[in-house]
Amino acid sequence: DLGFNNITDEGCIELCRGIPSNGNLHTLYLAGNLIGHEGALAIADRIAKGSSLRKLYLTGNLIGSDGVEAITEAIIEDEQRRGSGMEELYLGGAGMGPSGCQAVARLLRCTRRIRVLSLPNCEIGDESLALLADSIKENHEHLPLESLQLSFNRITDAGIQSLTNALQGLQSFKELLLDNNEIGDGGIEAIATTLLPSVRTLETLNVGFNQISASGIKTLMKAVDDYPSLRSLSVSGNTIDTSTAR
């Protein structure tokens, strides 16, 4: 864990040189540093040449779209070569842009290992989310996705409809974080009528701080009334009137 220090590309390059290809380092936490494009390329090179990494935290580093693409391609290459590889990838606030989102979509289309994908604060809108959804749908049979974290983006009802259609029947799925987006009652309707009836394993759902009305909250609460696995539900920052509270 080297998170929230002042590590730049130079330090990241030296760090990657010290990671052995046949070692036992499974988790590398570099969130909140000053790593950019060159540091991302060094991480990608280490992964592509072989590593034991399973969890990579890069949240809050401006590695850019090229950095995201290099790392995701290296993860695909490593997995295809060895049959094992990255299981959790955290890229929040990485400045990935549309082309970086395309690279993540390719990863989702190819991987059989990724369980947790964290993409908060990545300026993901409906069009980019549709790309991710298409990849999930295409790789539905082999994707072991358990957690998808999409907080603090620009997702509206249209994006949620694409996503819920793609997630239908994904029985490994446990966590969906959608707080601080632009989701309204239409998106909640899609979650209530498409996602929840077909995915009975969801444990955590966060739709806080969106644009959901009291009517939308009622729709959601009816859907979760007898939902078997749900452990955590956040609707903070939306509209809840007296009848909805009841």
Side-chain angles (χ1 to χ4, degrees), residues 104-166:
V104 173
R106 172 167 157 73
L107 173 63
L108 282 171
R109 191 163 59 247
C110 297
T111 185
R112 298 189 179 192
R113 300 286 299 179
I114 292 291
R115 296 184 299 102
V116 177
L117 181 60
S118 181
L119 302 171
N121 195 27
C122 287
E123 298 187 358
I124 294 173
D126 294 339
E127 186 175 346
S128 293
L129 186 56
L131 288 176
L132 300 178
D134 286 344
S135 294
I136 291 171
K137 187 181 295 185
E138 186 174 335
N139 194 23
H140 202 278
E141 184 178 348
H142 303 294
L143 185 65
L145 190 65
E146 296 178 6
S147 175
L148 184 58
Q149 303 172 10
L150 295 167
S151 309
F152 292 93
N153 282 295
R154 296 183 287 104
I155 300 166
T156 73
D157 292 350
I160 295 302
Q161 289 169 1
S162 299
L163 181 63
T164 53
N165 286 333

Side-chain angles (χ1 to χ4, degrees), residues 16 25-26 46 48 53 69 86-87 109 117 119 128 140 143 145 162 172 175 190 194-195 214 219 226 230 232:
C16 290
L25 182 63
H26 290 169
R46 178 68 280 167
L53 285 177
E69 182 176 358
M86 199 68 64
E87 297 177 1
R109 191 163 59 247
L117 181 60
L119 302 171
S128 293
H140 202 278
L143 185 65
L145 190 65
S162 299
S172 62
E175 180 180 62
T194 301
L195 178 65
T219 299
D226 62 348
L230 197 66
S232 175

